Amino acid sequence: MSDLLDYVGDDLSSTAIIVLLAVLVRVLTGLSLYSGAGDAPKYGDYEAQRHWMELTINLPVRKWYTDSPVNNASYWPLDYPPLSGYQSWLCGQAMRAVEPASVELVKSHGYETPTSKIVMRWTVIAADLLVYFPACLAAVYVFYGSSSSPSALSSSTSGSAAATARRARVLALIALLFNPAAIIIDHGHFQYNNVSLGLTLAAAAAIGAGRQLLGAALFSLALNHKQMALFFAPAFFAHLLGWALHSERHRGVGPKILMVSKLGLTVIATFAVCWAPYLSSKEAVLQVLTRIFPVRRGLYEDYVANWWCTSSLLIKWKAKFPAPVLLRAAAVTTLAAGAPAMAHQIMGRPAQPIGGGVRSPTRWGLLRCMANSAFAFYMFSYQVHEKSILLPLLPITLLAGEEPTLAAWLPILAAFSMFPLLERDGVSLPYISLCALYGAVMAGPALSLARQLHRAQASSKARRRSGWLKQAVTGLSGWALRHWVVLASLAVAGNLGLHAARLILPPPERLPWLHDRAFITAAFGGFALTSIYLQISQWLEGGDGGRGPAVKTQRKCD
Amino acid sequence: MITNAGAFLQLAVIATAIKLLLVPTYRSTDFEVHRNWLAITHSLPISKWYIEETSEWTLDYPPFFAWFEWVLSQIARFVDPAMLVVENLEYASGRTVLFQRLSVIVMDAVLLAAAYALARDVSSDDASSRPGGEGKSKPKKLQGLGLQADVAADQTTAAPATTSHSASIGRGHGNSSIRSESSGSNMRRSIVLFFLLSCNAGLLLVDHVHFQYNGVMMGLLLWSLYAARSGRHLLSGLLFAALLNLKHLFLYAAPVYFVYLLRHYCCEGTVLGPACAEAESGARSSTGKGSSKGSSSTRKGFGLGRVVVRLALLGAGVLAVFGVSFGPFIMMQQMPQVLRRLFPFGRGLLHAYWAANAWAPYAAADKLLAAALPRVAPWLGLDLEKLGLRIEPGAANMAGGLVRVSRFSVLPQVSPAATALAVLLALTPCLAALWAGDGRPGYMRRSIVRSVSYSFLSGFVFGYHVHEKAVLVALLPLAVDAVLTPSAARRFLLLGTAGNYGLLPLIFRPQEYGTKILLFLSYFFVSMVALGSIHAEVQLGPREAGVADDGAALQALFSPSKMQDGSTSPVKSGLERRTVKSPMKGAAVFGRMTKLYLAGFLAVELYVSIVHEAVPALRRRLPFVPLMLTSVYCSIGVLTVWVDMATEWVCEASLGWRKRRKH
């Protein structure tokens, strides 16, 4: 097999080019429309972000979260944690410098001029450049090592271990930087998910590099930028706890307690810094909290490819049960779905070969746990957006060197699951081209890497010590990889078929939501399979020096 | 050899995806021009095509392009019939825009396919030139000055030694055979070529932002060049004739095609078909008297008859193509009208925005003189009136934002005839060299692309009323050579940078600023690194390229002399001294200067888009400076490349003719 990535090295200039192209793709995506463009009076997420800039630079910090005539709770109130507010303030300053009218208090509602749109778009790209890109580079460096082989741009050594490592590195970087779902939401639809995702990624990288306290602080920052980062909280909590309990560095009860409290203090201190302006009174804090966690919204929004929304076709959850019951049910199921992965992290891993007690969980385990807990939240928690799929995607794209095929198609499926939203935003064209781009770049290399990893797996370690589960998964993944081309073509054909049906056939009178339903049901199938596979792989992970099993599950077949 | 098309397919998808993302961007008036042509060809009879003038954008492309629009309009009918109404000026519904944009994207398949064909061709080409290959032709790596022929021979003999040596110190990478190494590097060559042709930033901006159909026509040109390289001369000639009937801009290469076909199709060899170019040898044709018919008739008695047959065949083919195109208009006696449309006189030497050619510095100098002379003359005691110069007071004022010159005020005027003469003069050495050959087989295969590129470049540099976009026509063919020889790679990068940068002012809205700059930068960096990686390999031997870091690769590209300073390890520097035996001293006229020049673009861009915009006094008093600075600065690069190529042709021509005389 020859593909483009054979000719892409992981040295400085190749990485620079990849980053440059990533910026290019973002700029090009930004040429399209955005959420709520020209859609008075409420507009969309673009207006929400602009409105926050308007609020934050015109009002004192203490008034940001307080209802007032100029800060109306019904017109895009600031409902993200303070760090988002600070970031809005920064971006607002940039907007004011370029076009003062664009952030004038109240008068600027629905302000959409070409120049202000350019500045808005560039603030997102700047956030990428300042937070997300560095985090990606750091995470790839930590998890896949530095570019050891100097064989920059030199091919034909495929097969050797160095080439596999290089390919894994490049693949992970590309997956992180060109994830179509993330690009289209941030740069097409318009949001700043890249900040909180970037901070989370940086936290994972810090922990992976052995800087757990820094990781805890960074993750707290992520939480303070967007409460959605809570999806990852169980993973970080469990991993850090497991580390504090089992690391060789702190033996005995005293050091363990000390470590746990150090972690706790770091988190509290970070939160305190972020919340400093509101800590003077309890009311202020509560005011912010009620804005951030609006329980009054429903179980899910629009069409989400999660459990509640998909199964509501059969069981009308919202109609049958009162909101508090659903809230509790959601909490319980989420916890239950996230618990196994958490337990795995807290328990640590058995030291090998025999005896010697328990060692701290691996960084790869952290990534899998992040994916699992994010999926648990996406599938079962209360008030989930379709955009929340970006969260499970983050650890999965970083896992691209370990789970290449999964990382190759899940982002596309995620974009697919959001298509009803994207179509409304008028970003169907970027959707098509970003998915095609990602698929074209990733599919071939991912498959060949997956086959390589699988071969290595099957030949060396699996023989020696492996339970029935591992053997079953290895066998299944081997089967899937052998028939990969067929499976993938079937899935792509299914997706295209749904798109074609949506384009050509008008839905029946009585079922106007038929197409949206079809989309999310198909996506849900894929997500559920992935989630089950990830749960299993979490428990298979960890014996062999941090290299997880190189397998993948079956692809969703529509 | 290429075993599968994976990487090409990937690149094609990437290019198409980028084009799709460009759909919502700015559209120039050319969008309306083409919509109008759709309407004209669809709703009017042929007799009205070149007469209709409801819109100011009348049909001024040759008939094949009109037919092309007619074909498109047959599909457009189903998309939005309103766009096909001639009176619907400035009509641009969402569906219309999407249809027109998609038509450009889909038609680019011609370009992609041609790029693929050429990429495969280049790879097979080089494999055979390797020492272990069939050895049916000499290496094409170095086709620079005639002097380099010896160097090239040197290098090929040195290559195996280098490869084996470096492979043994290959740091446990596995001792793969030289053969697979060379096929690997050939594969890289083809992929780089495919990238250079299919993702050209300038072409993306002109076709998919500004809106034109250059991709199709470039594709046809590349197909024609591919046919020429693979020895199918008649096909190549006919494709070119068809191309001329799509867009007459390609006329500049007609002399080269004429000589090429006459010499290598009509008066050449004995067998028809692909072996034709290979069969050429100096011995056969050199004893000829130099007249068209004598050269090949010396050896074989029936040669003359064959020449006549081929000439007739070629003439008939070309006439048929032109007949199909212009025949109906001749029948309707509309030819004068059609020609008036195709060659509108009185448009002036320079386009509104000066193309980066020889006339840009000329016009700039005229402006400066016009501004300076009235002030300086009294000091020098000159009387301008006596010298016959009358400078109108407003001449140096140039208050308009557009740099528009209808008449030069100090320097002599340049007439269309003078520019035509200049172009022909510039082409002479190239034509002479083509006729003479270099006495080695496969000359045409090696030279056709370079000569066509050179003729377009000459047309661009000296032509009358040249559009800045015309530089692409010279640039793209150059890519074929760029992956084969380091000197061509340098030229390609320089011309690409200067030419593409000169296109940027076309897209002037702030909305697309990031797009155009990033597209330009990405293409520049990727092609620089890619070409650097290829040619580092050529110099150091395949294995060494891996060890040398990228900086060295780039260095190798820009300043070959520096490689010998040996800042690297002793083992490596020893190797380098052996292999980098001045393989391209002749062409390495730049190096540090080129780098300086390229860095200068940063300064130009800073001035144009930041300093000039930020200082109101500059904007008020010198509104023309950004455009003038851009075109003059770009023209330096373009002219450097032209001088470089022209010198090469002069040397080659003199060498070729000397050889002929010797025989």
Side-chain angles (χ1 to χ4, degrees):
Chain A
M1 280 297 273
S2 112
D3 55 65
L4 217 48
L5 295 195
D6 284 340
Y7 303 90
V8 177
D10 51 1
D11 55 307
L12 195 63
S13 60
S14 301
T15 310
I17 284 176
I18 291 176
V19 169
L20 189 64
L21 293 179
V23 178
L24 173 69
V25 165
R26 282 161 170 77
V27 170
L28 294 182
T29 309
L31 293 168
S32 61
L33 291 176
Y34 43 83
S35 162
D39 184 16
K42 195 78 161 89
Y43 304 98
D45 274 340
Y46 174 88
E47 169 64 8
Q49 298 287 350
R50 196 211 52 75
H51 179 60
W52 294 355
M53 294 176 198
E54 166 202 336
L55 287 180
T56 48
I57 63 166
N58 287 307
L59 299 178
V61 182
R62 293 289 303 275
K63 301 275 180 209
W64 287 359
Y65 292 91
T66 334
D67 291 355
S68 68
V70 292
N71 185 2
N72 199 325
S74 64
Y75 190 81
W76 302 116
L78 180 54
D79 54 5
Y80 280 9
L83 203 55
S84 266
Y86 306 144
Q87 181 234 324
S88 288
W89 181 85
L90 258 180
C91 298
Q93 295 297 340
M95 292 284 282
R96 180 137 76 184
V98 178
E99 202 167 330
S102 66
V103 282
E104 237 181 302
L105 198 58
V106 182
K107 279 185 205 153
S108 65
H109 283 197
Y111 193 93
E112 298 173 309
T113 58
T115 38
S116 69
K117 184 187 161 193
I118 302 170
V119 184
M120 289 283 280
R121 290 290 198 199
W122 274 99
T123 59
V124 190
I125 293 168
D128 257 334
L129 287 175
L130 292 175
V131 182
Y132 187 70
F133 283 20
C136 291
L137 293 172
V140 170
Y141 179 82
V142 166
F143 281 87
Y144 294 93
S146 63
S147 61
S148 51
S149 66
S151 58
L153 288 155
S154 111
S155 66
S156 74
T157 41
S158 58
S160 73
T164 312
R166 175 172 65 86
R167 168 155 287 215
R169 233 176 348 253
V170 174
L171 218 54
L173 187 63
I174 290 181
L176 283 169
L177 291 182
F178 290 88
N179 175 352
I183 295 178
I184 207 160
I185 288 298
D186 279 0
H187 300 272
H189 174 88
F190 206 92
Q191 275 191 343
Y192 293 91
N193 293 300
N194 49 14
V195 178
S196 108
L197 290 177
L199 288 170
T200 310
L201 202 58
I207 293 172
R211 313 283 296 272
Q212 277 80 3
L213 289 181
L214 178 65
L218 282 170
F219 181 65
S220 309
L221 286 179
L223 271 177
N224 273 306
H225 188 269
K226 196 163 181 180
Q227 62 272 39
M228 203 120 84
L230 266 179
F231 279 34
F232 294 124
F236 279 97
F237 171 77
H239 181 85
L240 288 175
L241 187 62
W243 169 75
L245 293 181
H246 305 302
S247 174
E248 293 91 346
R249 269 194 275 160
H250 11 88
R251 296 200 176 282
V253 181
K256 283 178 183 167
I257 293 178
L258 184 68
M259 206 57 235
V260 173
S261 44
K262 261 194 199 168
L263 284 170
L265 276 177
T266 310
V267 172
I268 291 172
T270 316
F271 266 83
V273 171
C274 292
W275 286 66
Y278 308 98
L279 291 179
S280 53
S281 73
K282 200 178 154 197
E283 289 78 43
V285 174
L286 280 179
Q287 176 63 41
V288 180
L289 281 178
T290 46
R291 276 278 186 94
I292 294 177
F293 294 106
V295 238
R296 60 179 183 280
R297 295 204 208 166
L299 185 58
Y300 48 83
E301 282 202 355
D302 295 330
Y303 287 98
V304 190
N306 75 350
W307 162 253
W308 299 114
C309 185
T310 309
S311 61
S312 69
L313 186 63
L314 305 171
I315 309 161
K316 302 281 170 235
W317 301 105
K318 279 180 172 176
K320 274 194 182 160
F321 303 96
V325 175
L326 285 177
L327 185 60
R328 237 166 290 150
V332 170
T333 44
T334 307
L335 203 63
M342 282 177 75
H344 176 264
Q345 291 294 291
I346 295 174
M347 280 160 52
R349 65 197 157 113
Q352 47 180 321
I354 323 143
V358 178
R359 283 165 50 197
S360 57
T362 66
R363 52 191 185 188
W364 297 102
L366 169 66
L367 289 188
R368 283 175 200 277
C369 187
M370 281 167 72
N372 276 321
S373 99
F375 253 128
F377 271 87
Y378 178 78
M379 283 292 179
F380 297 110
S381 78
Y382 197 73
Q383 221 253 302
V384 173
H385 287 264
E386 55 276 71
K387 284 162 263 169
S388 311
I389 191 62
L390 295 185
L391 288 122
L393 282 188
L394 182 73
I396 289 170
T397 44
L398 180 53
L399 275 169
E402 293 283 309
E403 302 279 3
T405 41
L406 189 63
W409 67 266
L410 200 70
I412 296 178
L413 185 66
F416 174 82
S417 79
M418 296 188 291
F419 185 73
L421 170 77
L422 301 178
E423 193 188 34
R424 238 181 302 135
D425 289 346
V427 289
S428 316
L429 223 50
Y431 160 80
I432 297 168
S433 68
L434 288 176
C435 287
L437 194 88
Y438 189 79
V441 175
M442 291 288 289
L447 182 59
S448 65
L449 178 61
R451 281 182 174 153
Q452 260 169 41
L453 292 174
H454 181 75
R455 225 173 293 135
Q457 182 85 16
S459 62
S460 65
K461 278 150 193 159
R463 284 288 150 70
R464 273 194 281 119
R465 32 141 214 92
S466 53
W468 60 271
L469 186 60
K470 187 155 195 161
Q471 272 177 349
V473 170
T474 313
L476 197 63
S477 65
W479 177 85
L481 285 177
R482 264 196 308 284
H483 301 99
W484 177 258
V485 178
V486 177
L487 291 175
S489 326
L490 274 179
V492 170
N495 286 359
L496 290 180
L498 284 179
H499 273 300
R502 190 186 177 92
L503 207 62
I504 299 165
L505 307 171
E509 280 291 306
R510 293 190 308 120
L511 313 166
W513 36 258
L514 186 69
H515 288 311
D516 290 351
R517 274 262 167 236
F519 268 65
I520 62 154
T521 312
F524 173 78
F527 292 159
L529 274 178
T530 310
S531 154
I532 292 166
Y533 165 70
L534 282 171
Q535 291 279 5
I536 297 170
S537 82
Q538 176 97 60
W539 287 90
L540 298 178
E541 190 276 329
D544 37 10
R547 310 299 283 183
V551 281
K552 73 134 281 43
T553 120
Q554 272 159 283
R555 169 120 201 222
K556 162 203 65 108
C557 299
D558 300 313
Chain B
M1 288 306 290
I2 294 163
T3 45
N4 68 66
F8 299 100
L9 202 63
Q10 284 179 307
L11 270 174
V13 173
I14 291 173
T16 310
I18 289 177
K19 291 167 191 171
L20 269 180
L21 284 172
L22 289 173
V23 165
T25 47
Y26 154 82
R27 305 178 300 273
S28 74
T29 46
D30 274 344
F31 179 83
E32 167 65 10
V33 169
H34 287 91
R35 191 218 46 84
N36 183 42
W37 294 355
L38 275 181
I40 289 176
T41 51
H42 186 261
S43 47
L44 297 177
I46 302 177
S47 55
K48 292 272 170 55
W49 282 3
Y50 285 91
I51 294 174
E52 159 64 37
E53 50 184 10
T54 307
S55 160
E56 63 174 310
W57 312 116
T58 51
L59 181 58
D60 57 5
Y61 273 29
F64 275 6
F65 195 82
W67 283 110
F68 171 77
E69 292 280 2
W70 179 83
V71 171
L72 286 181
S73 73
Q74 298 309 309
I75 308 163
R77 215 153 39 125
F78 299 105
V79 179
D80 184 356
M83 78 169 105
L84 298 175
V85 178
V86 178
E87 285 74 31
N88 270 352
L89 299 183
E90 304 285 325
Y91 183 79
S93 68
R95 293 176 77 103
T96 307
V97 173
L98 198 61
F99 170 77
Q100 293 230 67
R101 287 282 199 206
L102 285 182
S103 73
V104 183
I105 294 174
V106 170
M107 290 314 295
D108 263 6
V110 179
L111 174 68
L112 293 177
Y116 180 60
L118 269 174
R120 289 189 71 121
D121 190 43
V122 164
S123 113
S124 68
D125 180 52
D126 209 64
S128 64
S129 80
R130 288 273 164 176
E134 299 90 327
K136 66 178 173 186
S137 64
K138 285 273 180 178
K140 280 97 192 171
K141 283 183 290 201
L142 298 156
Q143 23 170 273
L145 296 170
L147 296 166
Q148 287 173 357
D150 307 353
V151 183
D154 264 358
Q155 215 197 11
T156 37
T157 50
T162 317
T163 327
S164 58
H165 182 186
S166 48
S168 64
I169 60 161
R171 311 215 295 167
H173 276 302
N175 210 340
S176 40
S177 72
I178 298 167
R179 192 74 199 148
S180 82
E181 280 297 341
S182 85
S183 84
S185 80
N186 280 335
M187 182 68 185
R188 165 169 315 166
R189 222 169 273 258
S190 344
I191 290 174
V192 171
L193 178 58
F194 188 77
F195 164 79
L196 292 177
L197 293 176
S198 63
C199 303
N200 185 297
L203 201 57
L204 284 176
L205 289 176
V206 170
D207 272 14
H208 301 274
V209 180
H210 180 88
F211 198 88
Q212 276 188 353
Y213 289 94
N214 293 300
V216 196
M217 293 181 261
M218 293 303 310
L220 264 187
L221 176 68
L222 293 179
W223 271 116
S224 162
L225 291 175
Y226 168 70
R229 274 174 65 88
S230 49
R232 277 164 284 191
H233 304 302
L234 185 59
L235 177 67
S236 171
L238 294 185
L239 276 174
F240 182 72
L243 185 64
L244 277 181
N245 284 296
L246 270 174
K247 191 169 181 174
H248 43 308
L249 162 81
F250 292 93
L251 212 53
Y252 288 120
V256 162
Y257 265 92
F258 179 71
V259 170
Y260 146 60
L261 290 170
L262 202 61
R263 172 76 175 73
H264 294 270
Y265 174 66
C266 299
C267 311
E268 180 59 57
T270 45
V271 257
L272 282 158
C276 188
E278 300 297 335
E280 173 200 5
S281 77
R284 183 173 302 148
S285 54
S286 58
T287 45
K289 289 138 244 164
S291 80
S292 63
K293 298 203 175 138
S295 61
S296 62
S297 62
T298 48
R299 185 97 166 252
K300 307 220 169 182
F302 59 89
L304 192 65
R306 206 190 49 105
V307 168
V308 171
V309 168
R310 287 197 165 187
L311 205 57
L313 204 61
L314 180 67
V318 171
L319 274 182
V321 171
F322 275 85
V324 170
S325 168
F326 286 101
F329 301 98
I330 296 172
M331 303 284 282
M332 291 181 288
Q333 300 184 326
Q334 287 186 350
M335 269 321 271
Q337 166 70 10
V338 172
L339 287 179
R340 253 201 309 283
R341 282 281 177 85
L342 295 188
F343 301 97
F345 288 108
R347 270 199 188 172
L349 175 67
L350 292 155
H351 195 46
Y353 157 59
W354 302 349
N357 60 10
W359 307 123
Y362 189 83
D366 180 71
K367 283 286 168 204
L368 287 181
L369 284 177
L373 271 188
R375 286 172 212 180
V376 178
W379 283 49
L380 301 174
L382 292 171
D383 192 356
L384 291 177
E385 296 283 336
K386 258 186 207 156
L387 288 168
L389 287 173
R390 187 172 302 139
I391 297 166
E392 285 133 43
N397 185 12
M398 299 175 287
L402 287 178
V403 192
R404 182 149 222 164
V405 181
S406 47
R407 277 185 60 82
F408 294 118
S409 33
V410 180
L411 297 174
Q413 308 302 321
V414 180
S415 68
T419 62
L421 197 69
V423 174
L424 275 180
L425 217 65
L427 285 183
T428 319
C430 171
L431 300 178
L434 273 188
W435 188 270
D438 65 352
R440 289 190 292 123
Y443 178 73
M444 188 41 63
R445 186 171 164 78
R446 275 172 286 130
S447 304
I448 180 68
V449 172
R450 193 160 45 105
S451 54
V452 167
S453 164
Y454 173 73
S455 57
F456 284 130
L457 190 61
S458 301
F460 178 76
V461 167
F462 296 112
Y464 196 78
H465 194 80
V466 174
H467 279 243
E468 58 289 328
K469 295 152 228 159
V471 75
L472 293 174
V473 187
L475 180 63
L476 258 69
L478 205 54
V480 178
D481 278 353
V483 299
L484 293 173
T485 81
S487 57
R490 265 197 301 279
R491 272 182 218 146
F492 176 83
L493 283 177
L494 190 56
L495 186 64
T497 313
N500 282 347
Y501 187 83
L503 295 175
L504 296 188
L506 279 179
I507 288 98
F508 55 85
R509 293 200 320 180
Q511 285 95 312
E512 281 86 15
Y513 182 76
T515 308
K516 69 174 185 182
I517 293 289
L518 277 168
L519 272 177
F520 170 75
L521 272 183
S522 311
Y523 184 70
F524 173 68
F525 275 122
V526 176
S527 46
M528 187 166 76
V529 170
L531 285 173
S533 81
I534 290 179
H535 294 304
E537 229 162 64
V538 169
Q539 286 176 1
L540 305 176
R543 207 63 293 219
E544 273 308 288
V547 183
D549 64 351
D550 234 71
L554 295 184
Q555 224 173 45
L557 199 56
F558 281 113
S559 53
S561 55
K562 263 186 111 177
M563 295 292 289
Q564 279 151 315
D565 297 348
S567 55
T568 40
S569 68
V571 185
K572 259 176 73 186
S573 66
L575 273 175
E576 277 162 17
R577 217 154 275 151
R578 199 140 50 84
T579 51
V580 190
K581 208 191 281 170
S582 67
M584 31 179 206
K585 262 208 173 117
V589 285
F590 27 81
R592 200 160 296 175
M593 285 304 286
T594 313
K595 274 190 255 173
L596 212 64
Y597 174 73
L598 292 180
F601 276 104
L602 213 64
V604 172
E605 181 57 34
L606 273 181
Y607 175 78
V608 168
S609 50
I610 294 176
V611 177
H612 187 82
E613 292 298 313
V615 183
L618 284 176
R619 254 184 309 170
R620 204 171 48 249
R621 299 192 45 194
L622 304 166
F624 58 91
V625 165
L627 285 182
M628 191 165 99
L629 183 66
T630 307
S631 46
V632 171
Y633 195 76
C634 290
S635 72
I636 297 172
V638 173
L639 286 174
T640 310
V641 174
W642 180 81
V643 168
D644 187 31
M645 290 183 88
T647 333
E648 193 182 88
W649 280 114
V650 170
C651 292
E652 212 167 307
S654 67
L655 218 79
W657 282 96
R658 208 175 306 149
K659 226 172 226 172
R660 283 176 73 117
R661 220 170 297 135
K662 239 186 275 168
H663 276 288

